[in-house]
Amino acid sequence: MLAAVPGELFIAGRWLPAAAGARFPVLDPATGETLCEVADGGREDALDALTAAHEAQPAWQATAPRERGEILRRAYQLLVDRTDELALLMTLEMGKPLAEAAGEIAYAAEFFRWFAEEAVRIDGGYATAPDGASRFLVLRQPVGPCVLVTPWNFPMAMGTRKIGPAIAAGCTMVLKPAEQTPLCALALADILAEAGLPDGVLNVVTTSRPGEVVEPMLRDGRARKLSFTGSTQVGRLLLAQAAEKVLRTSMELGGNAPFLVFDDADLDAAVDGAMAAKMRNIGEACTAANRFLVQRGVADEFARRLAERMAALTMGRGTEPGVTVGPLIDADGRDKVTELVAEAVAGGARVLTGGAPVDGPGTFYPATVLTGVPAGARIGREEIFGPVAAISAFDTEDEAVAAANDTEYGLVSYVYTRDLARSLRVAERLEAGMIGLNKGVVSNPAAPFGGVKQSGLGREGGRVGIDEFLETKYVAIPTP
Ligand code: NAP
């Protein structure tokens, strides 16, 4: 399985070692053991990859939209056909349980199917100027070579969500995947080559030194766009670097999702939704419910039911049958969760289940429920990125909305209520790019995904996803 993935850089259609010959280990977070090694690219490799993308751009943008769509469609099918082996690869390097990994392959593949269909729907316009003296012709053209930077938590889907629209729009690209999960990205490059993607359109540079690879490409002048998914902290840094050459940017950054449950909610549905919003991806999702705000009348009952469900989950290596909570990605991730919980408990929060890391190999933290989380606690201000549900109670709708919006993030908010007027009122007042209304999962390739405030810029997926990879050109014509 691992041997089938080329552990080299993918540049101009060729698998190459890093120029300096360096390699870095890929670890299994369930055991801490090395799975394999891959090429450790540096500045020279990054610029070679950018050269390949730049040289491939003119021919690629001249291909027929249908041809680009057909490549995506074939790649979609290959992903679906190879779900089992790709899911295993993902579980090995990232840790999520196999069933969730298979779910991510399906989700990732859907971006290719969606953008295969969008490639042939890039439109333009023809209009008469208001004074009738001229005509406007409006064209949509690819922005040009893109730098794509992806995180480890959804190692396949965060790639296809960028690569899909870039291919559909006619852009070439260099992908830099996360250090912890290079194998999914390399497998994806292999699949796209098999699907007929011409050499140089997609280049992949794996590295353990992300700054050395990304910054030279952003400052080079030949890249025309940066599409980044990751933390707000790194996003800010890359926005500053992208400013020098005034690059187009799409930034999918961190979140701090509030999960609001009102007294009138269907509590069974709210607990189901909470399990999905909290435990998808072991809590390591930008969309993960980070703050449970529950109206006082149902707060104790909601916490009791949620704790019962969380305590029934099975923690273990993601490859084992029946496991629903895999390891966290690494020791830093686990230590951060440990600290946040300890601080909340020291501040007065009560542990209903879980609450302490597990000794032994692998970076495991059990499903945890805390109640009475004090206002202002760090666990409510920072992304937990782990399987911890932190619950606080509220009294009024105004108080709930104010607390929900009291964050620099604005990716997604969840609301559970059966009152239609309240649903719409609260959905309008919440400062978030996405709202889960009586629904614990919002991600869908056919919907515009993205955040407001410091959760990002731009949208991925949906009808607007391709716009991020297109420029608008207007041609002025005299009235015939
Ligand atoms: P991260 O530390 O920001 O890393 C994201 C990517 O940026 C990785 O490829 C990383 O490479 C790279 N990177 C790190 N430092 C860099 C630098 N100085 N220059 C250039 N690139 C650099 O985030 P993460 O821990 O991988 O992912 C978790 C974060 O992603 C969370 O905040 C989560 O909310 C966010 N996220 C957002 C979305 C969304 O759609 N809004 C989706 C998924 C995840 P290395 O791996 O080598 O460090």
PDB file of all heavy atoms in Angstrom, residues 278-279 281-284 310 313 315 325-326 328 337 353 364-369 384-389:
ATOM      1  N   LYS A 278     -19.186  17.968  16.575  1.00  0.00           N
ATOM      2  CA  LYS A 278     -18.024  17.886  17.470  1.00  0.00           C
ATOM      3  C   LYS A 278     -17.065  16.783  17.063  1.00  0.00           C
ATOM      4  O   LYS A 278     -15.859  16.980  17.019  1.00  0.00           O
ATOM      5  CB  LYS A 278     -18.501  17.637  18.915  1.00  0.00           C
ATOM      6  CG  LYS A 278     -17.426  17.567  19.949  1.00  0.00           C
ATOM      7  CD  LYS A 278     -16.779  18.907  20.228  1.00  0.00           C
ATOM      8  CE  LYS A 278     -15.396  19.107  19.697  1.00  0.00           C
ATOM      9  NZ  LYS A 278     -14.843  20.427  19.966  1.00  0.00           N
ATOM     10  N   MET A 279     -17.593  15.594  16.747  1.00  0.00           N
ATOM     11  CA  MET A 279     -16.724  14.422  16.644  1.00  0.00           C
ATOM     12  C   MET A 279     -16.276  14.069  15.230  1.00  0.00           C
ATOM     13  O   MET A 279     -15.426  13.194  15.064  1.00  0.00           O
ATOM     14  CB  MET A 279     -17.411  13.223  17.300  1.00  0.00           C
ATOM     15  CG  MET A 279     -17.559  13.405  18.806  1.00  0.00           C
ATOM     16  SD  MET A 279     -15.992  13.852  19.620  1.00  0.00           S
ATOM     17  CE  MET A 279     -15.034  12.367  19.340  1.00  0.00           C
ATOM     18  N   ASN A 281     -14.084  13.874  12.348  1.00  0.00           N
ATOM     19  CA  ASN A 281     -12.642  14.109  12.245  1.00  0.00           C
ATOM     20  C   ASN A 281     -11.970  14.240  13.620  1.00  0.00           C
ATOM     21  O   ASN A 281     -11.002  14.980  13.778  1.00  0.00           O
ATOM     22  CB  ASN A 281     -12.374  15.375  11.426  1.00  0.00           C
ATOM     23  CG  ASN A 281     -11.248  15.191  10.435  1.00  0.00           C
ATOM     24  OD1 ASN A 281     -11.152  14.145   9.795  1.00  0.00           O
ATOM     25  ND2 ASN A 281     -10.400  16.171  10.310  1.00  0.00           N
ATOM     26  N   ILE A 282     -12.506  13.543  14.615  1.00  0.00           N
ATOM     27  CA  ILE A 282     -11.919  13.549  15.969  1.00  0.00           C
ATOM     28  C   ILE A 282     -11.894  14.976  16.550  1.00  0.00           C
ATOM     29  O   ILE A 282     -11.038  15.323  17.370  1.00  0.00           O
ATOM     30  CB  ILE A 282     -10.494  12.922  15.979  1.00  0.00           C
ATOM     31  CG1 ILE A 282     -10.392  11.782  14.940  1.00  0.00           C
ATOM     32  CG2 ILE A 282     -10.126  12.402  17.368  1.00  0.00           C
ATOM     33  CD1 ILE A 282      -8.983  11.343  14.612  1.00  0.00           C
ATOM     34  N   GLY A 283     -12.802  15.806  16.066  1.00  0.00           N
ATOM     35  CA  GLY A 283     -12.827  17.200  16.536  1.00  0.00           C
ATOM     36  C   GLY A 283     -11.784  18.076  15.863  1.00  0.00           C
ATOM     37  O   GLY A 283     -11.696  19.273  16.144  1.00  0.00           O
ATOM     38  N   GLU A 284     -11.007  17.504  14.944  1.00  0.00           N
ATOM     39  CA  GLU A 284      -9.949  18.265  14.277  1.00  0.00           C
ATOM     40  C   GLU A 284     -10.471  18.838  12.957  1.00  0.00           C
ATOM     41  O   GLU A 284      -9.969  18.499  11.883  1.00  0.00           O
ATOM     42  CB  GLU A 284      -8.738  17.368  14.014  1.00  0.00           C
ATOM     43  CG  GLU A 284      -8.071  16.869  15.286  1.00  0.00           C
ATOM     44  CD  GLU A 284      -7.000  15.823  15.005  1.00  0.00           C
ATOM     45  OE1 GLU A 284      -7.267  14.891  14.212  1.00  0.00           O
ATOM     46  OE2 GLU A 284      -5.912  15.921  15.564  1.00  0.00           O
ATOM     47  N   MET A 310     -20.934  10.452  24.171  1.00  0.00           N
ATOM     48  CA  MET A 310     -19.472  10.599  24.033  1.00  0.00           C
ATOM     49  C   MET A 310     -18.755   9.463  24.766  1.00  0.00           C
ATOM     50  O   MET A 310     -17.764   8.929  24.271  1.00  0.00           O
ATOM     51  CB  MET A 310     -19.032  11.956  24.601  1.00  0.00           C
ATOM     52  CG  MET A 310     -19.535  13.150  23.798  1.00  0.00           C
ATOM     53  SD  MET A 310     -18.574  13.489  22.307  1.00  0.00           S
ATOM     54  CE  MET A 310     -17.375  14.638  22.946  1.00  0.00           C
ATOM     55  N   LEU A 313     -18.227   6.121  22.898  1.00  0.00           N
ATOM     56  CA  LEU A 313     -17.364   6.016  21.711  1.00  0.00           C
ATOM     57  C   LEU A 313     -16.158   5.130  22.019  1.00  0.00           C
ATOM     58  O   LEU A 313     -15.753   4.991  23.179  1.00  0.00           O
ATOM     59  CB  LEU A 313     -16.896   7.408  21.285  1.00  0.00           C
ATOM     60  CG  LEU A 313     -18.017   8.357  20.837  1.00  0.00           C
ATOM     61  CD1 LEU A 313     -17.450   9.753  20.572  1.00  0.00           C
ATOM     62  CD2 LEU A 313     -18.728   7.830  19.587  1.00  0.00           C
ATOM     63  N   MET A 315     -12.197   4.485  21.465  1.00  0.00           N
ATOM     64  CA  MET A 315     -10.949   5.119  21.052  1.00  0.00           C
ATOM     65  C   MET A 315      -9.942   4.048  20.648  1.00  0.00           C
ATOM     66  O   MET A 315      -9.880   2.988  21.274  1.00  0.00           O
ATOM     67  CB  MET A 315     -10.416   5.942  22.227  1.00  0.00           C
ATOM     68  CG  MET A 315      -9.226   6.792  21.882  1.00  0.00           C
ATOM     69  SD  MET A 315      -8.855   7.958  23.208  1.00  0.00           S
ATOM     70  CE  MET A 315      -8.532   6.853  24.546  1.00  0.00           C
ATOM     71  N   VAL A 325     -12.942   7.048  17.633  1.00  0.00           N
ATOM     72  CA  VAL A 325     -12.071   8.173  18.016  1.00  0.00           C
ATOM     73  C   VAL A 325     -10.624   7.743  17.799  1.00  0.00           C
ATOM     74  O   VAL A 325     -10.085   6.926  18.555  1.00  0.00           O
ATOM     75  CB  VAL A 325     -12.264   8.551  19.510  1.00  0.00           C
ATOM     76  CG1 VAL A 325     -11.454   9.804  19.836  1.00  0.00           C
ATOM     77  CG2 VAL A 325     -13.725   8.758  19.849  1.00  0.00           C
ATOM     78  N   GLY A 326     -10.011   8.283  16.761  1.00  0.00           N
ATOM     79  CA  GLY A 326      -8.610   7.959  16.477  1.00  0.00           C
ATOM     80  C   GLY A 326      -7.692   8.859  17.293  1.00  0.00           C
ATOM     81  O   GLY A 326      -8.146   9.655  18.125  1.00  0.00           O
ATOM     82  N   LEU A 328      -5.043  12.013  18.016  1.00  0.00           N
ATOM     83  CA  LEU A 328      -4.846  13.368  17.498  1.00  0.00           C
ATOM     84  C   LEU A 328      -3.585  13.363  16.642  1.00  0.00           C
ATOM     85  O   LEU A 328      -2.789  12.430  16.691  1.00  0.00           O
ATOM     86  CB  LEU A 328      -4.787  14.371  18.642  1.00  0.00           C
ATOM     87  CG  LEU A 328      -6.113  14.459  19.422  1.00  0.00           C
ATOM     88  CD1 LEU A 328      -6.017  15.471  20.557  1.00  0.00           C
ATOM     89  CD2 LEU A 328      -7.273  14.816  18.501  1.00  0.00           C
ATOM     90  N   VAL A 337      -4.843  20.378  23.667  1.00  0.00           N
ATOM     91  CA  VAL A 337      -6.149  19.970  24.195  1.00  0.00           C
ATOM     92  C   VAL A 337      -6.047  19.751  25.709  1.00  0.00           C
ATOM     93  O   VAL A 337      -6.890  20.216  26.484  1.00  0.00           O
ATOM     94  CB  VAL A 337      -6.647  18.684  23.487  1.00  0.00           C
ATOM     95  CG1 VAL A 337      -7.920  18.165  24.144  1.00  0.00           C
ATOM     96  CG2 VAL A 337      -6.877  18.950  22.005  1.00  0.00           C
ATOM     97  N   THR A 353     -17.309  13.477  31.294  1.00  0.00           N
ATOM     98  CA  THR A 353     -16.643  12.253  30.804  1.00  0.00           C
ATOM     99  C   THR A 353     -15.303  12.652  30.207  1.00  0.00           C
ATOM    100  O   THR A 353     -15.132  13.796  29.770  1.00  0.00           O
ATOM    101  CB  THR A 353     -17.517  11.508  29.777  1.00  0.00           C
ATOM    102  OG1 THR A 353     -16.887  10.268  29.442  1.00  0.00           O
ATOM    103  CG2 THR A 353     -17.732  12.292  28.502  1.00  0.00           C
ATOM    104  N   PHE A 364      -3.315  10.017  21.846  1.00  0.00           N
ATOM    105  CA  PHE A 364      -4.759   9.852  22.047  1.00  0.00           C
ATOM    106  C   PHE A 364      -5.293  10.788  23.130  1.00  0.00           C
ATOM    107  O   PHE A 364      -4.640  11.010  24.154  1.00  0.00           O
ATOM    108  CB  PHE A 364      -5.059   8.402  22.446  1.00  0.00           C
ATOM    109  CG  PHE A 364      -4.871   7.443  21.302  1.00  0.00           C
ATOM    110  CD1 PHE A 364      -3.660   6.781  21.124  1.00  0.00           C
ATOM    111  CD2 PHE A 364      -5.898   7.216  20.403  1.00  0.00           C
ATOM    112  CE1 PHE A 364      -3.487   5.897  20.064  1.00  0.00           C
ATOM    113  CE2 PHE A 364      -5.733   6.333  19.344  1.00  0.00           C
ATOM    114  CZ  PHE A 364      -4.520   5.669  19.176  1.00  0.00           C
ATOM    115  N   TYR A 365      -6.513  11.282  22.890  1.00  0.00           N
ATOM    116  CA  TYR A 365      -7.237  12.042  23.916  1.00  0.00           C
ATOM    117  C   TYR A 365      -8.692  11.577  23.833  1.00  0.00           C
ATOM    118  O   TYR A 365      -9.266  11.521  22.749  1.00  0.00           O
ATOM    119  CB  TYR A 365      -7.144  13.556  23.652  1.00  0.00           C
ATOM    120  CG  TYR A 365      -7.506  14.346  24.891  1.00  0.00           C
ATOM    121  CD1 TYR A 365      -6.520  14.823  25.753  1.00  0.00           C
ATOM    122  CD2 TYR A 365      -8.841  14.584  25.226  1.00  0.00           C
ATOM    123  CE1 TYR A 365      -6.840  15.509  26.917  1.00  0.00           C
ATOM    124  CE2 TYR A 365      -9.173  15.267  26.385  1.00  0.00           C
ATOM    125  CZ  TYR A 365      -8.172  15.736  27.225  1.00  0.00           C
ATOM    126  OH  TYR A 365      -8.492  16.409  28.373  1.00  0.00           O
ATOM    127  N   PRO A 366      -9.290  11.232  24.962  1.00  0.00           N
ATOM    128  CA  PRO A 366     -10.644  10.659  24.887  1.00  0.00           C
ATOM    129  C   PRO A 366     -11.733  11.706  24.660  1.00  0.00           C
ATOM    130  O   PRO A 366     -11.531  12.894  24.950  1.00  0.00           O
ATOM    131  CB  PRO A 366     -10.811  10.044  26.287  1.00  0.00           C
ATOM    132  CG  PRO A 366      -9.966  10.900  27.170  1.00  0.00           C
ATOM    133  CD  PRO A 366      -8.790  11.355  26.342  1.00  0.00           C
ATOM    134  N   ALA A 367     -12.876  11.244  24.181  1.00  0.00           N
ATOM    135  CA  ALA A 367     -14.047  12.124  24.034  1.00  0.00           C
ATOM    136  C   ALA A 367     -14.397  12.678  25.410  1.00  0.00           C
ATOM    137  O   ALA A 367     -14.504  11.926  26.378  1.00  0.00           O
ATOM    138  CB  ALA A 367     -15.209  11.324  23.468  1.00  0.00           C
ATOM    139  N   THR A 368     -14.552  13.996  25.480  1.00  0.00           N
ATOM    140  CA  THR A 368     -14.670  14.694  26.766  1.00  0.00           C
ATOM    141  C   THR A 368     -15.839  15.667  26.736  1.00  0.00           C
ATOM    142  O   THR A 368     -16.067  16.338  25.715  1.00  0.00           O
ATOM    143  CB  THR A 368     -13.345  15.464  27.034  1.00  0.00           C
ATOM    144  OG1 THR A 368     -12.304  14.498  27.189  1.00  0.00           O
ATOM    145  CG2 THR A 368     -13.427  16.360  28.250  1.00  0.00           C
ATOM    146  N   VAL A 369     -16.572  15.758  27.842  1.00  0.00           N
ATOM    147  CA  VAL A 369     -17.625  16.772  27.961  1.00  0.00           C
ATOM    148  C   VAL A 369     -17.380  17.565  29.235  1.00  0.00           C
ATOM    149  O   VAL A 369     -17.205  16.991  30.317  1.00  0.00           O
ATOM    150  CB  VAL A 369     -19.035  16.127  28.000  1.00  0.00           C
ATOM    151  CG1 VAL A 369     -20.108  17.194  28.217  1.00  0.00           C
ATOM    152  CG2 VAL A 369     -19.307  15.369  26.700  1.00  0.00           C
ATOM    153  N   ILE A 384     -10.156  24.290  19.768  1.00  0.00           N
ATOM    154  CA  ILE A 384      -9.737  23.164  20.608  1.00  0.00           C
ATOM    155  C   ILE A 384      -9.021  22.127  19.736  1.00  0.00           C
ATOM    156  O   ILE A 384      -7.997  21.581  20.087  1.00  0.00           O
ATOM    157  CB  ILE A 384     -10.949  22.514  21.310  1.00  0.00           C
ATOM    158  CG1 ILE A 384     -11.704  23.564  22.142  1.00  0.00           C
ATOM    159  CG2 ILE A 384     -10.496  21.341  22.184  1.00  0.00           C
ATOM    160  CD1 ILE A 384     -13.044  23.076  22.683  1.00  0.00           C
ATOM    161  N   PHE A 385      -9.592  21.862  18.571  1.00  0.00           N
ATOM    162  CA  PHE A 385      -9.050  20.881  17.622  1.00  0.00           C
ATOM    163  C   PHE A 385      -8.857  19.516  18.272  1.00  0.00           C
ATOM    164  O   PHE A 385      -7.812  18.867  18.127  1.00  0.00           O
ATOM    165  CB  PHE A 385      -7.753  21.396  16.987  1.00  0.00           C
ATOM    166  CG  PHE A 385      -7.929  21.605  15.505  1.00  0.00           C
ATOM    167  CD1 PHE A 385      -8.917  22.464  15.024  1.00  0.00           C
ATOM    168  CD2 PHE A 385      -7.150  20.918  14.586  1.00  0.00           C
ATOM    169  CE1 PHE A 385      -9.117  22.638  13.660  1.00  0.00           C
ATOM    170  CE2 PHE A 385      -7.340  21.080  13.212  1.00  0.00           C
ATOM    171  CZ  PHE A 385      -8.321  21.949  12.765  1.00  0.00           C
ATOM    172  N   GLY A 386      -9.887  19.072  18.976  1.00  0.00           N
ATOM    173  CA  GLY A 386      -9.858  17.773  19.621  1.00  0.00           C
ATOM    174  C   GLY A 386     -11.266  17.431  20.091  1.00  0.00           C
ATOM    175  O   GLY A 386     -12.187  18.243  19.982  1.00  0.00           O
ATOM    176  N   PRO A 387     -11.425  16.215  20.655  1.00  0.00           N
ATOM    177  CA  PRO A 387     -12.773  15.691  20.948  1.00  0.00           C
ATOM    178  C   PRO A 387     -13.357  16.188  22.262  1.00  0.00           C
ATOM    179  O   PRO A 387     -13.782  15.401  23.083  1.00  0.00           O
ATOM    180  CB  PRO A 387     -12.531  14.183  20.979  1.00  0.00           C
ATOM    181  CG  PRO A 387     -11.120  14.050  21.480  1.00  0.00           C
ATOM    182  CD  PRO A 387     -10.368  15.240  20.955  1.00  0.00           C
ATOM    183  N   VAL A 388     -13.360  17.504  22.461  1.00  0.00           N
ATOM    184  CA  VAL A 388     -13.812  18.062  23.735  1.00  0.00           C
ATOM    185  C   VAL A 388     -15.000  18.998  23.503  1.00  0.00           C
ATOM    186  O   VAL A 388     -14.887  19.970  22.751  1.00  0.00           O
ATOM    187  CB  VAL A 388     -12.667  18.847  24.418  1.00  0.00           C
ATOM    188  CG1 VAL A 388     -13.166  19.450  25.734  1.00  0.00           C
ATOM    189  CG2 VAL A 388     -11.470  17.948  24.658  1.00  0.00           C
ATOM    190  N   ALA A 389     -16.121  18.684  24.168  1.00  0.00           N
ATOM    191  CA  ALA A 389     -17.307  19.548  24.083  1.00  0.00           C
ATOM    192  C   ALA A 389     -17.352  20.409  25.338  1.00  0.00           C
ATOM    193  O   ALA A 389     -17.459  19.883  26.447  1.00  0.00           O
ATOM    194  CB  ALA A 389     -18.570  18.693  23.981  1.00  0.00           C
TER     195      ALA A 389
END
